[in-house]
Amino acid sequence: MAACSADFRSYLNPEAAPGILPLALYTIIFSAFTGSNPHLNYTTWFSNFAAHHYTESDIYASDSAGRLPFIFVDESSTLQQWRLGRDPFSDLTLKMDVYPRRVDIRTTPGPRVDLRFDQGGVVGTGAWFLPQVAQNALYLHTVEWDLSLAPTGTRAVWTYGEGPYVEHLGTAEIFERSVFMVGQIQSSPPGPQLRPPPGTCATYWFGSLPPILERLKGFNTELYLPMANFFGELEGSYRVFIRSCPRVWGGQSFPSSYILEYGPEIVDADDEQVMSLFAHEMVHSFARLDNEDDGDENGWFIEGIAEYYSTFLPYRFKLVPPSYVTSQINGSLIRYYTNPDINIPMEDADKHFFTSWYAEWIPYDRGFAYLLLVDDQLRRVRGEPDSNSSGILDRIVLDISARSRRGEKMQRKDWLAALSYFLQGSVDYAGQFQDMLRGRTITLAGRRVGSTRNVLRETRQNVLEMGFSRLALSRRIVEGLVPGSHAEKAGLRNGDAIIKTPVVYDLAKDPLAKYFVLVERDGQEIRIEYSPREDREVSCWMLESFKEDVIPAAFIR
């Protein structure tokens, strides 16, 4: 077993945190630098923003022989190698000043991995500021916090534990895919959670939570134990890190933890939307497929399975009523069928995930519709119509999850192999899968959800049309106004200065919802409200209501 450690020295003053920066000390064992090209890997770009910027002179690296220089080599547009200027003679220690990322209302939402100041504290992931060992072996990861100069009451929490010294055994990506938080931390349960028992979940935040998050923060604790039991992963504990942001709200998941971001718009959210997000992010921590060998992502599974289980598991666990299931199913299917980009290839959806209104929703909603279809096909073949109980889809996902935890690389070939085994030639599963990736519309006519009494039926719904470019939300100036759209007819104009807009993610699930843009024009504030849809209608399969059945005692596994 190898060892890899990091000593995070944080000197944070809540009253003057923006001007005080943490110093990271990163110690890496000698055996991590084997081979003809010893180096570290550093991710420099995350979809739509840069990682922490370093120059070679910013990194003070040393071993027993003294200072050891690094040579930075860009391997691709997103990956940089930090090559050693000479062979090391002992364990290597890196020292670097870390400057948390500055964000404001113009910052485009993206992956929630960056290190940020928040209400006197700091929170973010190691991916944004730490290089990663290139040798993929098991390492003992150690995190130490030096809080000797920090104000009284300062707490330090890592994904894998709280307190001044925490160890965790795992692969080289552990630091990259985990969260670090330090400052005047509040938590639920309250007080330090130094050695929580397995199967427990704690939530952490700075300052005061918005009322809806304050009210629902305990939902994470209620959800975690049955979910960990469902996925057969009860040995560890779980941590939810909450931070504020200038606008919108959403989450980013990692093994054993997730980050929830909230902006001012969270006050307009309802309980079901927040509980669904909690469940969605927690599912991510348990179920995923790796990228393909060519780098192609499997967002249809990663987001689709999170949508699927965030819909059904809270109900199976008796945490929500049947109406929750109905609204989640119908919301996702409405957004899927009324998406004007419904037929774009999945790879294009991934490319435009953060720049298009509609591409962002494709992995979630197409993946969800595809999994509804496959679940019904599997149940019909096997004679197990009730999805309130565990079915073949659960067995497939649980197997993928378990093998992934054991270190196996799980890809779409493994998914298709499982379908081949269970569908027994009754469905052209391979052609159906390729059609899904290419963007062929998934028809759910006559498909069942939940039981034989819950049949999806055709309705007619209006196609989505936001009326202007999504990029305008970051630039804060209306642009790309669509001629003839409801937005234009309501009075929105190119060049209007944007003051406020609501979150679109859930609004697009409601065919009757109105969208508004509060703008400034000629020195006056104007609220422009309209239906974000075309007059054109399309077929949409929906559930009239989710019939409540008696849930079998074996529903968890």
Side-chain angles (χ1 to χ4, degrees), residues 247-376:
R247 63 182 177 92
V248 307
W249 56 282
Q252 182 87 27
S253 183
F254 312 93
S256 301
S257 64
Y258 73 81
I259 289 176
L260 172 71
E261 272 187 1
Y262 68 88
E265 301 89 344
I266 194 73
V267 299
D268 298 319
D270 61 40
D271 287 11
E272 282 193 1
Q273 291 170 337
V274 174
M275 290 189 295
S276 173
L277 177 62
F278 286 172
H280 181 101
E281 296 304 330
M282 196 173 286
V283 170
H284 276 317
S285 295
F286 295 100
R288 65 191 301 269
L289 281 183
D290 295 302
N291 289 351
E292 299 302 298
D293 293 339
D294 61 1
D296 198 12
E297 298 179 3
N298 283 305
W300 60 271
F301 182 90
I302 295 170
E303 300 300 347
I305 205 67
E307 286 290 282
Y308 180 89
Y309 280 131
S310 66
T311 295
F312 291 107
L313 288 185
Y315 174 68
R316 292 195 203 176
F317 302 155
K318 301 183 180 180
L319 298 176
V320 297
S323 59
Y324 169 91
V325 181
T326 303
S327 63
Q328 292 300 116
I329 291 172
N330 287 342
S332 293
L333 293 182
I334 287 170
R335 197 173 61 183
Y336 169 62
Y337 286 111
T338 64
N339 190 326
D341 286 346
I342 186 173
N343 297 125
I344 67 170
M346 189 64 72
E347 60 181 352
D348 289 347
D350 292 336
K351 291 176 185 176
H352 303 294
F353 190 87
F354 293 108
T355 58
S356 164
W357 293 109
Y358 316 112
E360 178 184 8
W361 305 326
I362 292 295
Y364 297 79
D365 302 331
R366 186 187 297 173
F368 178 72
Y370 170 69
L371 291 169
L372 285 181
L373 172 63
V374 170
D375 185 35
D376 187 51

Side-chain angles (χ1 to χ4, degrees), residues 75-114:
E75 286 292 296
S76 69
S77 59
T78 62
L79 181 64
Q80 188 176 72
Q81 281 191 3
W82 292 10
R83 297 180 181 175
L84 278 63
R86 62 169 171 80
D87 292 335
F89 292 96
S90 65
D91 294 351
L92 189 65
T93 298
L94 281 67
K95 299 179 182 179
M96 62 269 263
D97 287 326
V98 180
Y99 297 75
R101 184 182 179 216
R102 308 283 183 168
V103 296
D104 57 31
I105 196 150
R106 296 177 182 272
T107 302
T108 302
R112 294 168 174 90
V113 298
D114 51 334

Side-chain angles (χ1 to χ4, degrees), residues 3 19 62 90 96-97 206 213 266 282 287 310 352 431 445 482 490 518 520 525 551:
S62 61
S90 65
M96 62 269 263
D97 287 326
F206 297 118
L213 294 182
I266 194 73
M282 196 173 286
S310 66
H352 303 294
V482 178
L518 183 63
E520 180 181 348
E525 288 190 6
I551 302 177

